[in-house]
Amino acid sequence: RAYVFGEDVKFGGVFRCTSGLADAFGTHRVFNTPLCEQGLVGFGIGLAAMGNRAIAEIQFGDYIFPAFDQATAKFRYRSGNAFNCGGLTVRSPYGAVGHGGHYHSQSPEAFFCHVPGLKVVIPRNPSQAKGLLLASIRDPNPVIFFEPKWLYRLSVDEVPEGDYMLPLSKAEVIREGTDITLVAWGAQLAVMQQACAEAEKEGISCELIDLRTLIPWDKELVEASVNKTGKLIVSHEAPVTGGFGAEIAATIAERCFLRLEAPIARVCGLDTPFPLVFEPFYMPTANKVSMA
Amino acid sequence: MLDFPGAKAAFTSRMEFISPNAAEAVPCFRILDDLGRALDGSDIPEIDSSLAVKMYHTMVRLQTFDSIFYEAQRQGRISFYLTNIGEEALNVASAAALTKDDVVFPQYREHGVLMWRGFTLDEFANQCFSNEDGHGKGRQMPIHYGSEKLNYFTISSPIATQLPHAVGAAYGLKMDRKNACAVTYFGDGGSSEGDFHAACNFAAVLEAPVLFVCRNNGYAISTPACEQYKGKHAIQLLAGRGYGMTSIRVDGNDALAVFKAVSAARKLAVEQSKPVLIEAMTYRVGHHSTSDDSTKYRSGEEIAHWRSVRDPVLRFRRWLESNAWWSVEDEKELRGAARKEVISAMNQAEKKNKPPLSELFTDVYDTLPRNLLEQEATLRDTVSKNPPSLAPH
């Protein structure tokens, strides 16, 4: 009772994510919708409310905004748990791709992190994506699953066959260290890895954490790491002001105040719309992270 | 014929723009005249006396509830209320034409549909008083009813957001091969929302068995229909021919016409997996809600006219009387009984406790995440150190 739908999903989707599904499962279960984000997310809510797994695709995260009203996740709460749309998962590509400009590069995760009742999940590579996506689809809450489009073609990974899930709301330490904690998600982790490698050459031991689920987020793991290192950098492509890094910084400042040896730093996108020709300057590059 | 992917059409050498007023306004289907008499040539639907009387009972009970609870808000006993006055026939007759397996996605002025399905006066009252037995656990304003058992999705304030939900649900029903459709209600104002256009288009393209019932009651709060849409065809033709959907315009104050049209529409939707739009013309006799004074934007005479001469409940009653299915004594007895029952439900509901504080935090997710567990603990701590007026139970 699972359905996959969205714009251009039937032939395989603009990023080939849904290739072969229509042939395998039939066009009543894998289908195109008219070009309307508010319609397709609303439709997904209705399908999910009837007990189905509705997997909606928003073609680019940049176009998710018309669906924002539909996505505000009060379905279970307002009905006193008589109804819910937990079967809904909204997948959408996000993030810089090198040439995307204003409308093919955005990172809208922060807007959704402010919605009680939603989960926001972002994988860093294909094997993580499979486990996290299966977990998201099966989670009994509506999930927004942002896929780093930069990695669609770039990322090569050994993905286990068979069914497996990775836990939501559990961050992962992907590089252990002792001098400083770095937190990021999605494509930004590759940038952070670079910065960590550079820092190591100068004798700085970095602990790198992939947050994986942004809400509800794994405060305990990050707190434990900062208690070990005493320093924190958070990094994301989205503009720094009001970005999700602010939530992490405020929470860790509250929890680790007496342990911190330096102010928490955020290395993020600038407070501008995502520029085309200026992209290299806009982005939170490894240089900027290293300097922080 | 020219065949583009977008359309197959005959060609013409004459450049001719199509005027929006080219065709006649779509006529409005009715069976009873304003005095409740069957019009010549009418085909009365099959309604026996017990069904008709049950429909009338529900309309009267709805009217009574509305009147008493409106006053209760005025007296400060509940925080908010909105009435269905003028739309009782539309509510009840449309509901009577559906089965209990059809899933309803209401806007907020369809309490009669829920009442028909079996929501009790206690259940209505509990929600309005936000007590521990009320639907929604006290989280929403009064009148935001819902019932899983009765297939009536919880009301929410934003306009027209339920329309695409209904389409998705209908699609699910079709795929599950259920003998049921989705039915969604909205007003003339709702037809301006993007979600309306999205839903109509999706329903037609994806072939979803959903009924779109527009309660065109002439006003969206203070905004009259003439400021809501242009052209005489309005909602019916727009959504119908515009989106490729079967449609009809009906006199929403004629219970028999509504019953017949909705019955036929439901059959079409379920048998052919197609959406149908029903534009039911009616009039919102009451104010938008207890937060509104409609005399500020319409005349008292207009309101009085529709409240009295055009009252759909009275109109239906006259038809019942003409069949000798109802009498003055029956009326007196019903009105008295309804009033007693509503007042009793109100008093009971008012006495009950409010929901426990824990319900502030539950149902945000299926289980409580850590941030909410922490916030609940912090809140309880704050409350325990503060005066009793903040104390939960």
Side-chain angles (χ1 to χ4, degrees):
Chain A
R1 300 187 74 207
Y3 297 88
V4 174
F5 51 91
E7 295 156 24
D8 301 300
V9 149
K10 190 163 78 173
F11 88 99
V14 294
F15 289 109
R16 308 277 188 270
C17 294
T18 51
S19 291
L21 290 183
D23 291 335
F25 297 98
T27 57
H28 281 114
R29 291 187 52 206
V30 179
F31 52 91
N32 292 338
T33 63
L35 204 166
C36 179
E37 289 73 18
Q38 71 192 99
L40 85 91
V41 172
F43 175 91
I45 291 170
L47 251 187
M50 299 295 281
N52 301 293
R53 298 243 167 263
I55 303 156
E57 177 179 303
I58 299 282
Q59 199 161 85
F60 283 89
D62 312 60
Y63 312 145
I64 201 168
F65 301 106
F68 197 87
D69 188 29
Q70 289 289 348
T72 51
K74 299 183 185 64
F75 215 82
R76 187 194 293 274
Y77 192 77
R78 74 189 188 201
S79 74
N81 202 28
F83 301 106
N84 75 77
C85 61
L88 176 68
T89 306
V90 178
R91 296 178 38 251
S92 189
Y94 89 98
V97 72
H99 53 272
H102 293 348
Y103 300 110
H104 298 82
S105 318
Q106 289 178 62
S107 297
E109 71 271 9
F111 294 102
F112 296 92
C113 290
H114 202 52
V115 178
L118 273 187
K119 295 195 178 183
V120 176
V121 179
I122 304 183
R124 68 173 182 273
N125 65 35
S127 53
Q128 288 283 312
K130 176 173 172 178
L132 290 171
L133 183 57
L134 281 171
S136 298
I137 290 168
R138 291 170 182 155
D139 191 283
N141 297 286
V143 178
I144 313 268
F145 191 84
F146 285 114
E147 300 170 359
K149 70 173 80 64
W150 178 239
L151 301 181
Y152 280 143
R153 287 175 195 139
L154 204 71
S155 192
V156 178
D157 198 8
E158 289 283 337
V159 181
E161 292 203 17
D163 198 319
Y164 66 93
M165 297 195 287
L166 293 171
L168 300 187
S169 292
K170 286 254 167 289
E172 190 181 352
V173 177
I174 62 176
R175 183 195 179 102
E176 285 195 24
T178 53
D179 294 328
I180 181 168
T181 302
L182 297 100
V183 175
W185 48 87
Q188 190 62 6
L189 285 161
V191 172
M192 304 302 265
Q193 290 277 30
Q194 247 190 298
C196 291
E198 285 297 312
E200 179 133 312
K201 291 181 192 156
E202 294 180 31
I204 302 172
S205 160
C206 301
E207 179 145 293
L208 179 56
I209 296 174
D210 178 4
L211 204 61
R212 303 201 295 186
T213 299
L214 270 60
I215 54 158
W217 66 283
D218 192 349
K219 300 180 188 179
E220 284 67 33
L221 188 139
V222 177
E223 182 185 352
S225 174
V226 177
N227 279 334
K228 185 170 73 169
T229 64
K231 300 179 209 65
L232 174 64
I233 296 179
V234 187
S235 185
H236 55 66
E237 285 177 27
V240 61
T241 298
F244 196 64
E247 155 66 21
I248 298 171
T251 300
I252 297 301
E254 197 181 302
R255 291 184 175 213
C256 303
F257 181 70
L258 295 174
R259 175 68 186 89
L260 284 165
E261 296 168 15
I264 298 169
R266 292 177 292 160
V267 182
C268 300
L270 303 173
D271 289 336
T272 69
F274 200 102
L276 182 68
V277 72
F278 302 112
E279 181 171 321
F281 300 95
Y282 167 91
M283 291 285 279
T285 54
N287 292 340
K288 293 184 185 176
V289 177
S290 295
M291 286 175 68
Chain B
M1 289 292 268
L2 294 176
D3 67 333
F4 290 102
K8 287 189 182 12
F11 68 84
T12 171
S13 307
R14 272 181 59 195
M15 183 185 76
E16 200 176 332
F17 286 84
I18 302 169
S19 160
N21 295 312
E24 284 302 304
V26 173
C28 190
F29 171 60
R30 62 159 38 175
I31 292 175
L32 299 175
D33 68 11
D34 282 333
L35 297 175
R37 299 174 302 203
L39 292 160
D40 284 341
S42 283
D43 198 2
I44 313 260
E46 281 184 31
I47 299 183
D48 63 14
S49 68
S50 79
L51 177 60
V53 167
K54 183 173 177 217
M55 284 166 66
Y56 186 71
H57 268 231
T58 309
M59 291 183 209
V60 168
R61 202 166 277 121
L62 178 64
Q63 266 188 343
T64 308
F65 194 95
D66 272 352
S67 149
I68 290 170
F69 270 69
Y70 186 90
E71 285 311 312
Q73 192 279 343
R74 283 288 172 257
Q75 292 163 21
R77 294 167 79 174
I78 53 176
S79 59
F80 174 85
Y81 193 73
L82 67 74
T83 64
N84 306 266
I85 306 171
E87 300 180 52
E88 300 90 345
L90 172 48
N91 268 223
V92 173
S94 63
L98 302 171
T99 74
K100 61 177 171 51
D101 296 325
D102 299 320
V103 293
V104 177
F105 287 83
Q107 180 63 76
Y108 49 60
R109 211 180 294 279
E110 301 90 12
H111 312 160
V113 175
L114 187 55
M115 193 177 272
W116 174 267
R117 289 190 158 208
F119 210 59
T120 65
L121 295 179
D122 286 335
E123 289 176 307
F124 280 106
N126 287 337
Q127 197 283 335
C128 285
F129 279 92
S130 308
N131 67 37
E132 64 190 350
D133 291 336
H135 175 80
K137 303 177 187 174
R139 294 161 183 158
Q140 293 211 87
M141 287 162 66
I143 72 92
H144 288 66
Y145 313 116
S147 169
E148 184 191 350
K149 195 176 65 168
L150 303 177
N151 277 329
Y152 189 96
F153 276 81
T154 305
I155 291 168
S156 68
S157 316
I159 300 296
T161 52
Q162 72 281 7
L163 300 180
H165 301 171
V167 180
Y171 190 86
L173 288 171
K174 173 177 91 166
M175 292 300 291
D176 289 344
R177 302 203 191 321
K178 293 277 201 290
N179 179 4
C181 65
V183 183
T184 184
Y185 295 82
F186 57 101
D188 37 294
S191 77
S192 293
E193 280 281 0
D195 276 340
F196 167 69
H197 301 275
C200 286
N201 194 29
F202 274 59
V205 170
L206 300 176
E207 297 179 328
V210 51
L211 304 189
F212 291 104
V213 182
C214 177
R215 294 181 294 95
N216 188 336
N217 64 16
Y219 288 91
I221 306 190
S222 72
T223 306
C226 61
E227 289 175 15
Q228 199 64 250
Y229 50 79
K230 197 77 179 162
K232 55 187 167 173
H233 304 299
I235 298 145
Q236 196 274 348
L237 254 189
L238 164 70
R241 278 178 235 178
Y243 293 114
M245 191 165 33
T246 303
S247 58
I248 190 170
R249 173 176 275 165
V250 67
D251 179 347
N253 285 1
D254 178 346
L256 294 186
V258 170
F259 181 84
K260 191 162 182 190
V262 175
S263 302
R266 183 200 176 273
K267 188 161 187 287
L268 199 154
V270 174
E271 287 177 3
Q272 297 181 35
S273 292
K274 273 162 50 170
V276 182
L277 178 102
I278 299 160
E279 183 184 11
M281 308 307 297
T282 181
Y283 186 86
R284 194 198 75 207
V285 172
H287 305 306
H288 164 70
S289 72
T290 48
S291 308
D292 177 46
D293 172 8
S294 62
T295 60
K296 289 197 166 10
Y297 51 83
R298 56 182 181 176
S299 73
E301 289 83 53
E302 180 185 313
I303 303 172
H305 169 76
W306 284 90
R307 186 186 288 276
S308 56
V309 173
R310 309 289 289 273
D311 177 10
V313 182
L314 180 58
R315 188 171 168 194
F316 189 57
R317 175 181 154 191
R318 290 207 166 111
W319 182 70
L320 288 181
E321 286 168 347
S322 75
N323 288 326
W325 293 344
W326 196 251
S327 71
V328 170
E329 289 75 40
D330 292 329
E331 181 73 14
K332 206 162 145 217
E333 196 187 313
L334 175 62
R335 293 273 174 190
R339 197 176 159 73
K340 267 218 193 91
E341 285 160 19
V342 171
I343 290 174
S344 165
M346 179 171 69
N347 291 335
Q348 295 297 325
E350 194 169 34
K351 289 195 206 113
K352 289 185 179 168
N353 287 331
K354 297 289 178 258
L357 192 61
S358 55
E359 303 289 21
L360 169 56
F361 298 98
T362 54
D363 305 330
V364 179
Y365 295 92
D366 64 315
T367 57
L368 265 76
R370 295 182 88 126
N371 57 317
L372 288 185
L373 286 167
E374 283 165 18
Q375 289 174 19
E376 184 175 3
T378 306
L379 180 63
R380 286 193 184 279
D381 184 54
T382 306
V383 168
S384 72
K385 293 171 178 153
N386 278 277
S389 59
L390 263 186
H393 40 265

